[in-house]
Amino acid sequence: SQTIHQWPATLVQPVGSPLSLECTVEGTSNPNLYWYRQAAGRGLQLLFYSVGIGQISSEVPQNLSASRPQDRQFILSSKKLLLSDSGFYLCAWSFTSGNTIYFGEGSWLTVV
Amino acid sequence: DQQVKQNSPSLSVQEGRISILNCDYTNSMFDYFLWYKKYPAEGPTFLISISSIKDKNEDGRFTVFLNKSAKHLSLHIVPSQPGDSAVYFCAASGGNDMRFGAGTRLTVKP
C-alpha cells in the first residue's frame, strides 16, 4: 500500500528566515505530487504540482518554491519567510493517471 | 476565481438524521468529483467520488449525487453520527487540474 509522510508537523519561524518542508511517498513510482495550503474561508489552494523529477508547475505567484530532487520526494521552500506565509501546508500525491488525490498529515507553519 | 463553491460554511444536524452537503462548480470541463473529510490539524481523507458519466454513487452511509446540467453535487450522510463531525471539502477535477471548495463544517449533535 502507499503512504505519504510530511515533516515537520509544526514549525515556528521568524520573519525573514528560510523554510523547508519535506514530503515523501512510499509504495508507488512516478506519482504526481502536490503542495496545497489551507487558508481560512478559501479551502485548499493548490501551490505547486509535479508530474516528474525536476518538473514543477506553479499555480500562484508567491514567496515559495518547490523542488522534486527524487521521484518520491517533494520539498517546499522559501528563502525568506513573510508573516503571510503562515498557514497549514499539505503535501499530496496521486497515481500518474489517477483522479484521486491523497493527502499527508499536514504541517502547521507559524511565522512570527 | 472560485470554480468550486460550497455556499454553506456550516451545518448542524441531529444524530440519526440525514446530513446533506452541497457543492456547485462552474467549469464544464470537470469530469470527476470527490468529497474529502477533514479533522482539525490533520490532512483531508478521501471519502467518496463520482465520475461525470454517473449521477449517483453510494458507499455505506455516504451517497454522492451529481446533477451535471445544474453543475451541482451533493453528499448525503444517513444516518448521521457524532463521529461524522468534521469539515467536508468537495473537489472537482479535469486532467491535472483539481479544485476544492472552501469546505462545510458539519456538526452532528448527539
Side-chain angles (χ1 to χ4, degrees), chain A residues 32 36 38 41-44 49 51 59 88 90 99-101 103-105 108, chain B residues 2 32 34 36 38 41-44 46 49 89 93 96 98-102:
Chain A
N32 291 338
Y36 282 85
Q38 184 184 6
R42 293 180 61 90
L44 301 171
Y49 71 90
V51 298
E59 282 291 301
F88 191 54
L90 291 154
N99 285 314
T100 303
I101 287 179
F103 287 90
E105 308 94 328
W108 273 110
Chain B
Q2 282 192 293
Y32 198 74
L34 309 93
Y36 287 83
K38 184 182 181 304
E42 294 182 10
F46 168 69
S49 62
F89 290 97
S93 74
N96 282 326
M98 180 176 286
R99 303 287 168 168
F100 285 83

Side-chain angles (χ1 to χ4, degrees), chain B:
Chain B
D1 160 13
Q2 282 192 293
Q3 298 186 46
V4 179
K5 293 182 180 181
Q6 294 176 256
N7 292 318
S8 298
S10 63
L11 175 68
S12 182
V13 171
Q14 205 69 33
E15 181 179 7
R17 300 290 186 97
I18 184 172
S19 296
I20 301 176
L21 297 101
N22 294 302
C23 179
D24 298 291
Y25 62 97
T26 57
N27 190 340
S28 58
M29 298 301 291
F30 290 139
D31 58 5
Y32 198 74
F33 305 89
L34 309 93
W35 284 95
Y36 287 83
K37 177 180 180 180
K38 184 182 181 304
Y39 293 116
E42 294 182 10
T45 55
F46 168 69
L47 196 56
I48 192 169
S49 62
I50 188 168
S51 164
S52 59
I53 62 173
K54 293 185 173 183
D55 55 16
K56 176 182 175 182
N57 187 29
E58 189 173 352
D59 183 4
R61 297 186 297 114
F62 303 92
T63 303
V64 55
F65 294 91
L66 176 63
N67 182 332
K68 282 182 294 185
S69 61
K71 294 189 176 69
H72 177 84
L73 64 153
S74 61
L75 174 68
H76 292 209
I77 306 173
V78 56
S80 301
Q81 299 174 354
D84 297 328
S85 297
V87 176
Y88 289 79
F89 290 97
C90 72
S93 74
N96 282 326
D97 191 14
M98 180 176 286
R99 303 287 168 168
F100 285 83
T104 297
R105 181 178 301 278
L106 173 66
T107 302
V108 180
K109 298 180 178 180

Side-chain angles (χ1 to χ4, degrees), chain A residues 54-80:
Chain A
Q55 300 179 62
I56 309 294
S57 297
S58 174
E59 282 291 301
V60 293
Q62 57 204 315
N63 186 41
L64 302 168
S65 61
S67 61
R68 185 171 178 173
Q70 299 180 42
D71 180 45
R72 292 169 292 161
Q73 184 185 23
F74 207 22
I75 298 172
L76 183 68
S77 304
S78 173
K79 291 182 179 178
K80 289 185 178 181

